[in-house]
Amino acid sequence: IYMINSSFTLVSSNATFVRPSYFYINGFENIPHIKYYYVFLCLVYAVTVLANSFIMAVIYLARNLHTAKYVVVFNLAVTDLCGSTALIPKLIETFLFEKQYISYEACLSSMFFVYVFMTMQSLSLLTLAYDRFVAIVFPLRYHVIVTKTAMLVILAVLWLFTLALISFTVSLITHLSFCGSLVIKSFFCDHGPTYALSCNNNSLNNIMAWVCFLVVLCIPIILIVLTYVCIAIALIRIATGAERVKAMRTCTSHLILVAIFYLPMVGNNIAAVVSYIHPNARIINNSLTQTMPAMLNPIIYSLRTEEVVDSVRKLYNIYSLRTEEVLDSVRNKKV
């Protein structure tokens, strides 16, 4: 390995690859007062950390939430928190503090973590759809089919699958040579804009980009839609309207999360196919799509799920009572 014009050449037994020492992340172009947007993202990240930490703490402390469903909700909170942590702090450092050069290794690491957590967010929502499907279509067998052990096994398999898929996809970047522009036209080390800069054959990278697109977006959406079609058919068969409403209430939080996560992604991809999107508009759309759901998910679950609201009230009452007991004991000692 030797340095050549801020790049290095790696010679393997089969091929020679020219790798840059650094990439340059372009970001926005000619937008006045754009730093206010980065300050806004700082606030989004702060709320994301607080909200997801809160929902994880509630699930951990409330025994009545130690169920299979809330194993998945806890996992979703973890992926939301980690996904935002992988993206927003680096984005703030890159643009707010004007450190737009990123090393080759750091770029691939950032790409890996952002896509791992994004994929797991999508697959967690799919797993929650499976939970609702069994709960409504097979209510009498729900506690037999959907157990904590079963959910932990499902999530473990999804994590292993995601890590393998994204590891392979990112590793293919190391088989590309970069001998032209090193400017990544995105707000982070995005996979598509990065491999598009290569000057050798990147067809395998393009195939894996489509595979990831199908796994992260298309297949989960199709399966979730089919799940809710089955749920709707099951609800039609329920005798009374009150029972239908009660059953649907258990799905509303999940449907809102699905809409918040998938609809902006679908809209962005459709708009990119049918018309031209200015790079600045595309970056704003993509950055909001990847940051806002992680902030809103725990808030929606906290406000719209009766089990969580009741658990928060019980925990508040318990800790208030304990605080009063401690204060009383302190007063008695002073007396």
Side-chain angles (χ1 to χ4, degrees):
I1 301 175
Y2 53 92
M3 300 299 296
I4 303 180
N5 296 328
S6 76
S7 300
F8 61 87
T9 303
L10 177 65
V11 181
S12 69
S13 59
N14 297 321
T16 301
F17 304 111
V18 179
R19 298 175 182 172
S21 297
Y22 294 91
F23 287 108
Y24 181 85
I25 301 178
N26 194 45
F28 294 102
E29 295 179 352
N30 303 319
I31 298 183
H33 310 297
I34 191 60
K35 288 189 175 182
Y36 292 113
Y37 180 67
Y38 302 132
V39 173
F40 166 73
L41 289 180
C42 285
L43 295 175
V44 169
Y45 180 63
V47 175
T48 300
V49 171
L50 291 173
N52 282 286
S53 299
F54 174 77
I55 196 73
M56 285 190 288
V58 170
I59 293 172
Y60 176 77
L61 294 171
R63 291 184 178 275
N64 63 306
L65 298 182
H66 292 182
T67 61
K69 174 185 174 181
Y70 284 97
V71 168
V72 189
V73 175
F74 190 93
N75 182 76
L76 179 61
V78 170
T79 56
D80 284 341
L81 179 58
C82 293
S84 291
T85 301
L87 182 63
I88 297 179
K90 187 63 181 176
L91 189 153
I92 299 303
E93 179 190 12
T94 300
F95 298 110
L96 194 58
F97 298 101
E98 298 179 352
K99 295 182 178 180
Q100 291 172 257
Y101 287 96
I102 183 170
S103 69
Y104 179 85
E105 294 80 8
C107 183
L108 296 191
S109 296
S110 174
M111 183 189 302
F112 172 78
F113 286 111
V114 169
Y115 277 99
V116 162
F117 294 121
M118 188 194 304
T119 304
M120 277 308 302
Q121 283 174 311
S122 179
L123 297 180
S124 295
L125 291 173
L126 176 59
T127 308
L128 282 172
Y130 164 74
D131 173 84
R132 292 299 84 203
F133 168 77
V134 178
I136 294 174
V137 179
F138 304 105
L140 299 178
R141 300 178 60 193
Y142 174 74
H143 293 290
V144 176
I145 298 172
V146 183
T147 63
K148 283 195 289 185
T149 302
M151 276 301 184
L152 288 170
V153 170
I154 290 171
L155 290 175
V157 170
L158 292 178
W159 272 104
L160 290 173
F161 169 76
T162 298
L163 290 170
L165 174 67
I166 303 303
S167 295
F168 180 69
T169 302
V170 173
S171 69
L172 290 176
I173 299 288
T174 63
H175 294 269
L176 298 178
S177 291
F178 298 88
C179 40
S181 173
L182 300 177
V183 178
I184 298 175
K185 295 181 179 179
S186 186
F187 61 99
F188 74 107
C189 285
D190 204 349
H191 180 253
T194 301
Y195 81 74
L197 298 174
S198 64
C199 53
N200 60 337
N201 185 5
N202 59 19
S203 58
L204 187 55
N205 301 81
N206 189 49
I207 291 170
M208 288 309 301
W210 278 103
V211 170
C212 290
F213 175 72
L214 290 172
V215 169
V216 176
L217 193 64
C218 299
I219 293 175
I221 288 177
I222 292 170
L223 292 177
I224 289 171
V225 169
L226 290 175
T227 295
Y228 275 99
V229 168
C230 295
I231 288 173
I233 293 170
L235 290 175
I236 291 171
R237 294 174 180 173
I238 293 176
T240 65
E243 289 177 341
R244 291 194 193 106
V245 172
K246 185 179 178 180
M248 273 306 299
R249 279 180 182 171
T250 65
C251 301
T252 53
S253 295
H254 179 253
L255 284 170
I256 293 171
L257 300 189
V258 167
I260 290 172
F261 185 83
Y262 290 111
L263 289 182
M265 280 193 178
V266 172
N268 286 345
N269 283 281
I270 291 174
V273 171
V274 300
S275 65
Y276 170 77
I277 301 178
H278 191 277
N280 289 338
R282 180 178 58 82
I283 290 173
I284 289 177
N285 289 342
N286 288 342
S287 60
L288 290 176
T289 298
Q290 290 180 238
T291 55
M292 295 302 290
M295 181 186 73
L296 295 175
N297 287 351
I299 295 173
I300 291 167
Y301 251 98
S302 298
L303 296 178
R304 292 197 58 88
T305 308
E306 291 182 10
E307 293 168 308
V308 175
V309 173
D310 291 340
S311 297
V312 171
R313 287 173 182 163
K314 289 177 183 177
L315 289 171
Y316 175 77
N317 292 334
I318 290 170
Y319 284 99
S320 296
L321 183 61
R322 288 181 181 176
T323 303
E324 289 177 6
E325 290 175 353
V326 171
L327 293 173
D328 289 338
S329 63
V330 171
R331 291 192 196 101
N332 292 334
K333 286 180 181 180
K334 287 182 179 179
V335 173

